[in-house]
Amino acid sequence: CSCYYDYYYIAWKQLQRRVRIVIGEMHFLKTRDEDETANLIWNDSAVQHEKIAELRNYQRINHFPGMGEICRKDCLARNMAKMMKNQPQEYSFIPKTWIFPAEYTQFQNYVKELRRKRKQKTFIVKPANGAMGHGISLIRNCEKLPAQDHFIVQEYLDKPFLMEGYKFDLRIYILVTSCDPLRIFLYNDGLVRMGTEKYHAPNDSNLNQLYMHLTNYSVNKHNENFERDETVDKGSKRSIGWFTEFLRTNDYDVAKFWGDVSELVVKTLIVAEPHVLHAYRMCRPGQPPGSDSVCFEVLGFDIILDRKLKPWLLEINRAPSFGTDQKIDYDVKKGVLLNTLKLLNIRGSDKKRNLAQQKAEAQRRLYGQGSMKKLSAASSEWEKQRHTLERRKEELKERLAQVRKQISREEHENRHLGNYRRIYPPDDKLLLEKYENLLSVAFQIFLAGRAASLQKEMNNPLKRMKEEDILDLLEQCELDDEKLMGKPARPRGPKPLSSMPESTPTPKKPRDGDSSTSSCNNSSSSESEDGEKEDHLTKGEKRVSYDLGDTTPSASPTLSGPMRRSISCPRSISSLTAQSPTNESRTFMPKPSTPTLRPNSASRSHSLNRSGSACRVPHSNSLGTIHSNMGESLLNLRTKEQEAELTRQTLTALNEMKIRFPGKSEEEAEMVLDEILDNWKYHKPKVASYWLVKLDSMKQRKVLDIVRTNIRSMLQRIWREPDVDSLHLYRLFNRVFNRLLWSHGQGLWNCFSNSGSSWETIFSKSSDVVSPQELQCCQRLVQLCRDCLLVVYKFVADSRGSLTGLSPEWDDTR
């Protein structure tokens, strides 16, 4: 690989030496500065957008466009203020800040209010785009501040956490490898930078003693008290590794401390993500979403701790110093650079591979391969439906390729983390859900009235789907296509032995909690109206297949056959584990004593196959990794009898669950639902307009999340499993939720209108094993989703008088 880096100050020669040492250890070759084909470009200044636009796909540059939105002090304060207004509890880690001259009046009003309460506070004044402690001062007499100068004013944290009597801050190194999707890594070491005079609370006599109040290395190194010590526990500059041990030795909660720091970093970068992503897309307009990023960035977060050990964000440096005045600088900063380059996966073959891809793409454009036929004004309805299906399939296949590429990227990251750890996306599913909600708020703030295409992409439900869900949707597209083309339905699964419960012809639901009858199933009337049979279901009843025999999965560990899923896909993992020849695996696959739903997966279309390279049998090392990662969960698997009992308890709990109407009792809520169902002819067009037209995909998902969140809590309580995503039953629930949201909510509406394909078809075409009790749980889940929609519809109609959207009260999922 080749790389070049450019600097415009002679003072950066130390940084040049550090980069030279690291690229030498990585076996890179430094090229001439004017070489435009280098694999890696290291630039110590802000990068022009034109420079990023000119980069080839295999190149990497060490800055993102738009990152100045959090790296300039005034932009950070402005963007944080917007998020604090929407999420005050989540964004309480930055001191109160005013941007001059725009907020001069607000600041003076705040000071007058303090004076009225007979309080006095100290404020710190900083240049809007300053660095290295230049131009910083402390004030208590706020009337002397100029009203027209451009700077920021912050409340001074006058009760910091002290070490040996000195104030200090932490330099945390953060690596962002991609903004699409966002991926953040925290380096496990860093620097503790201490003041050089004993700290005392600010007063009129010590405001000018900057060696006491400022912790910047560039300021304190000029003090005669600055200690340059090579030992880890002495000196004015120490490592964060030592500081962590210091906290542990003094009985502080180290895990909570690092959790708080990680959350601070992620929440701050969530604020920047809409700006960075939009700027990146403007620079790389032809680059498909999810492709390899040409940008990465190493950021330096400056964090201070108060006496309760709460972290507060001071500022963010997009070009942190890599100078090495001391051995501790050398050890920490060399590790940051070395681990960064290893994690980026820069290879010498990238340039050749990119050239081959460009040639292949040019050939496809030349011969018109892969391009869809455009519709004319005279196109028939049949042609329009075919065109819609083809577009949907192309969209799903593109997303499937992105998901599989992301899986491969994560496997490389897990092998080459070094001293980094990934903090976004986190492994904790509940924490990830919280971050995604904050990210959604950040995009809503940013996208208000602009960037319509980006707004549409952010609302795309496919972004949250996993590989197996996308495969299900792809197959549904192909089934619809076959039906449209008039092809006969293919036989699926073994001989059907029992039938699905029939639905009642009206949407009136049973009130006794009995789940043996589902009001969401399609009735025989829908079959006669459509005039078509689907999946060999006879008129008057829906059939599913129960297999009383062996439960050996039809998919082989070599992933051969027409249906191929990636190794990390949950169903592929279960197939690999189930067919493992070891005794341990066989003990976990007893022959079931109860009937189980086992449809055949052999009818999957060949168009869903992976490419040639992806179809190869994985190397034994990768298989070993899968089994080693799953070892702990396999040892904790319950017996079939235990799982059946827990499923029965889950079904009982689901039958007891009710959708509450805000401000009404359970009996009143039941009466509301009865009134809607009794007058269904009146409410049907209004509910349809509300669900299918007025609610976008994000708000539709928000309605169903009311049910999803409560079911997660219930499963955690019954199964005593904090990570319910690993449960087979919850994966079934997720597939049902996705099916109900299918085609912009049409899946759930089919449960009301008795038309279209039923949600149960996802199991008749699946390789998953579904027991009758699990099927009843899914039926009750759909019933709860129906009730939830009706309650939301009625609540919005009553509270606003018009069906314009969701009330803020529905953020509370209780």
Side-chain angles (χ1 to χ4, degrees):
C1 292
S2 56
C3 71
Y4 76 80
Y5 40 90
D6 50 343
Y7 304 93
Y8 52 94
Y9 289 123
I10 299 176
W12 292 114
K13 285 186 178 179
Q14 284 183 317
L15 176 52
Q16 290 185 25
R17 285 202 301 269
R18 185 62 45 244
V19 175
R20 285 177 188 273
I21 291 172
V22 171
I23 66 174
E25 291 190 19
M26 293 290 293
H27 305 292
F28 287 8
L29 299 175
K30 184 191 178 302
T31 67
R32 300 183 307 276
D33 289 355
E34 60 272 14
D35 185 357
E36 298 294 333
T37 64
N39 294 70
L40 172 64
I41 302 170
W42 192 281
N43 195 320
D44 199 42
S45 60
V47 180
Q48 296 289 334
H49 287 199
E50 293 78 9
K51 178 72 174 176
I52 297 174
E54 294 168 358
L55 293 177
R56 297 167 176 86
N57 289 337
Y58 68 88
Q59 294 182 294
R60 299 289 181 272
I61 194 166
N62 67 320
H63 289 295
F64 277 100
M67 197 62 81
E69 292 293 331
I70 59 171
C71 293
R72 278 183 58 105
K73 297 181 181 66
D74 53 348
C75 294
L76 174 65
R78 185 180 301 110
N79 291 312
M80 280 293 186
K82 294 176 183 178
M83 284 298 287
M84 289 171 66
K85 186 176 180 180
N86 282 271
Q87 302 287 329
Q89 293 181 341
E90 298 292 343
Y91 284 84
S92 60
F93 53 80
I94 187 167
K96 285 184 180 178
T97 308
W98 295 267
I99 305 171
F100 277 46
E103 297 176 350
Y104 174 82
T105 303
Q106 293 94 311
F107 174 72
Q108 292 299 339
N109 290 338
Y110 180 74
V111 172
K112 289 178 183 177
E113 183 66 19
L114 290 177
R115 198 177 296 127
R116 187 181 67 81
K117 296 178 180 178
R118 296 184 178 181
K119 293 182 180 179
Q120 187 173 23
K121 288 190 176 183
T122 305
F123 299 91
I124 185 167
V125 181
K126 303 177 183 179
N129 197 26
M132 297 186 294
H134 297 319
I136 297 179
S137 60
L138 272 65
I139 61 166
R140 290 168 72 84
N141 185 0
C142 304
E143 296 175 353
K144 295 182 179 180
L145 281 175
Q148 301 302 321
D149 289 358
H150 193 69
F151 52 83
I152 67 166
V153 179
Q154 274 186 333
E155 277 191 357
Y156 182 75
L157 299 175
D158 56 359
K159 297 177 181 178
F161 187 91
L162 301 179
M163 197 157 51
E164 300 172 8
Y166 294 96
K167 184 180 176 182
F168 67 94
D169 73 354
L170 306 177
R171 165 60 60 86
I172 309 287
Y173 291 99
I174 301 298
L175 171 63
V176 182
T177 59
S178 169
C179 67
D180 185 18
L182 181 61
R183 301 191 72 77
I184 309 170
F185 300 84
L186 183 147
Y187 194 69
N188 290 322
D189 205 354
L191 298 174
V192 180
R193 306 176 305 179
M194 304 175 65
T196 48
E197 291 185 10
K198 295 279 186 177
Y199 178 80
H200 298 283
N203 53 54
D204 293 332
S205 61
N206 65 13
L207 286 180
N208 295 326
Q209 297 182 23
L210 297 184
Y211 296 137
M212 175 192 299
H213 297 293
L214 301 187
T215 54
N216 305 66
Y217 165 73
S218 54
V219 172
N220 283 280
K221 69 179 181 179
H222 299 295
N223 190 1
E224 58 182 8
N225 296 330
F226 186 86
E227 297 182 22
R228 300 178 184 272
D229 202 302
E230 299 300 324
T231 57
V232 295
D233 59 343
K234 294 182 181 179
S236 297
K237 189 186 289 188
R238 307 177 190 181
S239 74
I240 287 182
W242 170 85
F243 179 68
T244 303
E245 287 301 317
F246 168 82
L247 293 178
R248 188 175 288 112
T249 303
N250 289 274
D251 297 326
Y252 289 101
D253 192 341
V254 175
K256 182 181 182 303
F257 163 73
W258 278 113
D260 292 343
V261 170
S262 299
E263 282 204 25
L264 180 151
V265 171
V266 173
K267 289 174 182 177
T268 303
L269 286 167
I270 281 175
V271 172
E273 168 67 1
H275 303 272
V276 174
L277 180 60
H278 183 60
Y280 184 79
R281 292 280 181 82
M282 295 293 288
C283 294
R284 313 284 297 176
Q287 190 164 321
S291 54
D292 290 335
S293 173
V294 300
C295 298
F296 70 97
E297 190 134 20
V298 178
L299 298 169
F301 274 67
D302 290 345
I303 293 172
I304 193 170
L305 308 176
D306 64 18
R307 62 181 179 180
K308 295 181 180 178
L309 212 65
K310 175 186 175 180
W312 293 78
L313 178 64
L314 294 180
E315 63 182 26
I316 304 166
N317 296 272
R318 69 180 312 176
S321 169
F322 285 96
T324 53
D325 293 344
Q326 299 174 233
K327 182 179 182 300
I328 188 172
D329 289 318
Y330 180 91
D331 294 338
V332 171
K333 295 175 182 179
K334 178 188 172 184
V336 171
L337 289 170
L338 194 60
N339 284 271
T340 296
L341 295 183
K342 288 179 179 178
L343 199 56
L344 290 176
N345 194 23
I346 300 173
R347 296 162 295 185
S349 59
D350 290 342
K351 188 185 300 185
K352 191 178 296 184
R353 187 182 299 107
N354 178 253
L355 183 60
Q357 290 173 351
Q358 286 180 337
K359 289 182 178 179
E361 181 63 28
Q363 272 195 328
R364 276 196 296 271
R365 287 198 303 268
L366 180 63
Y367 296 108
Q369 297 173 353
S371 58
M372 291 182 61
K373 181 182 176 181
K374 293 185 178 180
L375 288 175
S376 64
S379 298
S380 65
E381 189 65 28
W382 182 85
E383 289 176 325
K384 291 178 181 178
Q385 291 180 11
R386 281 295 315 280
H387 187 264
T388 302
L389 277 173
E390 289 297 325
R391 283 176 54 189
R392 182 66 171 169
K393 284 198 289 186
E394 289 300 319
E395 182 185 9
L396 288 169
K397 288 177 181 178
E398 181 180 333
R399 180 57 188 162
L400 182 62
Q402 293 172 14
V403 169
R404 287 173 170 172
K405 193 169 187 177
Q406 188 62 35
I407 291 170
S408 174
R409 185 182 302 158
E410 287 181 3
E411 289 173 352
H412 169 82
E413 290 173 353
N414 292 335
R415 292 194 303 268
H416 298 86
L417 280 173
N419 206 20
Y420 276 106
R421 61 183 174 92
R422 193 183 72 208
I423 58 176
Y424 187 88
D427 296 326
D428 186 340
K429 297 298 187 295
L430 292 177
L431 187 59
L432 176 61
E433 189 174 344
K434 181 174 81 169
Y435 287 158
E436 286 181 342
N437 291 335
L438 293 176
L439 198 56
S440 176
V441 172
F443 271 104
Q444 288 172 10
I445 294 172
F446 174 77
L447 295 173
R450 58 176 175 173
S453 60
L454 187 60
Q455 190 168 7
K456 182 179 178 181
E457 182 188 334
M458 291 303 107
N459 293 335
N460 188 354
L462 292 181
K463 288 182 71 68
R464 298 175 180 83
M465 289 188 182
K466 298 181 180 178
E467 179 185 5
E468 57 179 352
D469 302 320
I470 297 174
L471 285 167
D472 289 333
L473 297 183
L474 258 175
E475 186 176 2
Q476 184 63 38
C477 277
E478 296 206 343
L479 289 173
D480 294 342
D481 195 18
E482 289 175 5
K483 186 189 296 184
L484 200 61
M485 297 294 291
K487 295 181 181 178
R490 295 170 295 186
R492 301 184 183 279
K495 181 181 178 181
L497 298 180
S498 65
S499 62
M500 285 276 284
E502 287 189 29
S503 68
T504 56
T506 63
K508 179 108 175 174
K509 68 181 184 70
R511 289 294 166 208
D512 55 359
D514 182 12
S515 64
S516 62
T517 301
S518 171
S519 61
C520 294
N521 296 344
N522 290 340
S523 66
S524 58
S525 62
S526 67
E527 296 285 342
S528 58
E529 288 171 3
D530 290 345
E532 294 176 326
K533 295 181 182 178
E534 182 176 297
D535 299 335
H536 280 251
L537 301 176
T538 60
K539 283 191 177 183
E541 62 180 6
K542 297 285 183 183
R543 293 187 181 275
V544 294
S545 303
Y546 294 99
D547 186 6
L548 302 178
D550 190 7
T551 59
T552 305
S554 58
S556 67
T558 60
L559 302 180
S560 62
M563 182 58 195
R564 294 182 172 90
R565 299 179 183 271
S566 13
I567 291 299
S568 56
C569 183
R571 297 180 201 166
S572 299
I573 294 177
S574 63
S575 299
L576 287 167
T577 310
Q579 299 207 7
S580 175
T582 61
N583 294 330
E584 292 81 1
S585 299
R586 283 196 291 272
T587 59
F588 297 124
M589 294 298 295
K591 194 169 183 177
S593 58
T594 58
T596 53
L597 178 64
R598 183 181 173 270
N600 192 356
S601 64
S603 57
R604 298 269 191 184
S605 167
H606 286 269
S607 67
L608 303 185
N609 292 353
R610 302 187 69 176
S611 61
S613 61
C615 290
R616 288 181 294 216
V617 181
H619 194 275
S620 59
N621 288 343
S622 63
L623 284 176
T625 304
I626 293 170
H627 287 295
S628 64
N629 291 340
M630 294 183 61
E632 184 178 349
S633 61
L634 285 174
L635 292 175
N636 294 328
L637 281 179
R638 304 166 182 87
T639 64
K640 289 291 182 181
E641 292 76 11
Q642 290 174 327
E643 287 194 353
E645 174 59 24
L646 290 172
T647 304
R648 187 194 64 76
Q649 295 178 21
T650 302
L651 179 58
T652 303
L654 283 170
N655 287 329
E656 293 173 354
M657 290 178 72
K658 298 275 196 317
I659 304 297
R660 292 183 180 176
F661 196 110
K664 295 183 184 293
S665 65
E666 289 188 10
E667 292 76 13
E668 291 173 328
E670 289 285 322
M671 292 174 61
V672 168
L673 289 174
D674 285 335
E675 187 275 330
I676 295 174
L677 295 176
D678 289 338
N679 300 280
W680 182 241
K681 286 186 178 180
Y682 169 78
H683 289 287
K684 181 178 179 179
K686 295 180 178 293
V687 176
S689 174
Y690 178 65
W691 175 248
L692 299 175
V693 179
K694 289 187 171 63
L695 294 187
D696 57 25
S697 58
M698 290 289 289
K699 290 181 179 178
Q700 287 177 344
R701 184 174 293 274
K702 192 173 181 181
V703 171
L704 297 195
D705 279 346
I706 297 171
V707 179
R708 189 198 301 262
T709 304
N710 286 277
I711 285 180
R712 279 185 68 100
S713 302
M714 180 264 293
L715 289 175
Q716 288 172 343
R717 185 182 70 254
I718 293 177
W719 292 73
R720 297 180 181 177
E721 181 74 45
D723 184 17
V724 296
D725 296 83
S726 61
L727 295 178
H728 173 68
L729 182 60
Y730 187 72
R731 291 205 299 271
L732 295 180
F733 288 170
N734 261 338
R735 296 184 62 204
V736 173
F737 279 121
N738 289 332
R739 179 60 182 173
L740 296 181
L741 292 169
W742 160 257
S743 190
H744 306 290
Q746 191 65 44
L748 179 58
W749 182 245
N750 287 346
C751 298
F752 289 98
S753 59
N754 293 327
S755 63
S757 59
S758 171
W759 61 268
E760 290 97 341
T761 57
I762 61 175
F763 297 136
S764 64
K765 301 182 292 294
S766 166
S767 59
D768 273 344
V769 177
V770 183
S771 69
Q773 280 189 333
E774 290 173 334
L775 192 60
Q776 291 177 2
C777 289
C778 293
Q779 291 168 355
R780 179 57 184 161
L781 168 70
V782 174
Q783 183 68 56
L784 288 170
C785 290
R786 291 177 70 249
D787 291 352
C788 185
L789 170 58
L790 296 179
V791 169
V792 173
Y793 150 78
K794 186 63 175 173
F795 176 79
V796 174
D798 291 349
S799 60
R800 296 192 177 186
S802 62
L803 304 175
T804 54
L806 284 177
S807 166
E809 292 186 41
W810 286 98
D811 285 333
D812 184 354
T813 56
R814 290 175 297 176

